[in-house]
Amino acid sequence: MSSGISQTTSQPNLPLDGARLDQDHPASRPLADRMRPCALAGFVGQEHLLDEGRPLRELADRGVVHSMILWGPPGTGKTTLARLLADAAGAEWRSLSAVLAGVRDVRAAIAEAEAFPDRRTVLFIDEVHRFNKAQQDAFLPHVERGTVTFIGATTENPSFEVNAALLSRSRVYVLRPLSDSHIATLVRRAASQALKVELATDAVSELQAIADGDARRALNTLEVAVQLASGPVEATHVLEASGQAYRRFDKGGDAFYDQISALHKAVRGSSPDAALYWLARMLDGGCDPLYVARRLVRMASEDIGNADPRGLQLTVDAWDAYRRLGSPEGELALAQAVLYLASVPKSNAVETAFDAAMAYVREHPSHPVPLRLRNAPTALMDALGHGKGYRYAHDEQDAYAAGERYFPDEMPDVVFYRPTDRGIEGRIAERLADLKGRDRSARSSGEARGVENSKR
């Protein structure tokens, strides 16, 4: 059997009461592994899935299991829950890690399941999002035929990371980060049952803060803290064991995009304090500040635009300041930019106009540039009429050639930019309205060139 496959024989219809630990785990195993419960009653958290009448509890009570994907942050019990559901259904357990396994390992696991067609087999794929399309396709037909029941665990959005065909044959269950009370239950249980140590109240509080909803992180930190303590485990031991604890933030994963989305929406919603909070969350979690800087520049054009053009300059300056200063000094410039963007008037007129212009160009012919708008750097071009009839705006009243057209002659006048009445853009709107009025007057009197073309 391939080294990538974990195989065990399940105990059919394990009782749902009791919270005893798996005694097969020796003390040399990590504490988080030793603390895996042998029954669903010992599972902590995910009440929305496991309370009486909830979907996964119903499956376990009936002793059945179907193909599913367990999606949630690290340390929320995905692997443990999958194993307990397989046990409750009396199924054989085959486990693969998508980090280590390949198509050969998948085929080996399928072959083992096919060798015992009278026994139900659960094929568990940890971090299934790491499998590419070919690897996922390798076991899809066997899921369809019922050779194996597929359970995948992932921290990434399965809508993006799992093949549509496999996703359609699996039900997705979302696991939530553990609460402080869940973490307290787990660490106190581990201290009394596995480690046989006294755990101070302030140590529990520190473990809750460090865990940030991740049971594995809490238990791993507790295990190190016990090694540092000669007696009861205190908060100082926990802090010493934790080192630098990063918050729940997976670079490039769902937490990453969720938090940048929250930052963007707080800026757009003119909530400077919330925007600053999400900036701090991202930086605390290890996000690259230069990524934040790039996103702020986008926000300045997308959500503030010409309502306050200084926003764009300020974000570019903040980006440059961070590149010059680095962390942590340069992060203050990013905070300044975030607060400014969140506080000033908002307009998405620039983005709306740009999207409309791009859509128009894609959907209509590529008309030639009118001769009067073309440059004539050579005698030939001049002879061909390039630039003839062009009205130099600076020679006209108020440096504006009233009635002139700058679109291709074959297309009508189209309005893409509709400035709002907020901030500086309000004054822009007033000026553009005045200029359009002058255009109408000039064209009605026939003073402007291209009048006939403008009627097309």
Side-chain angles (χ1 to χ4, degrees), residues 25 47 124 132 173 190 192 241 255 266 287 334 336 382 397 409-410:
H25 290 321
E47 290 85 359
F124 175 74
N132 58 35
Y173 295 100
S192 62
C287 177
L334 300 181
Q336 178 184 351
D382 183 67
Q397 182 181 356
D409 292 337
E410 293 82 0

Side-chain angles (χ1 to χ4, degrees), residues 11 107 454:
Q11 304 174 37
R107 290 172 178 164
S454 70

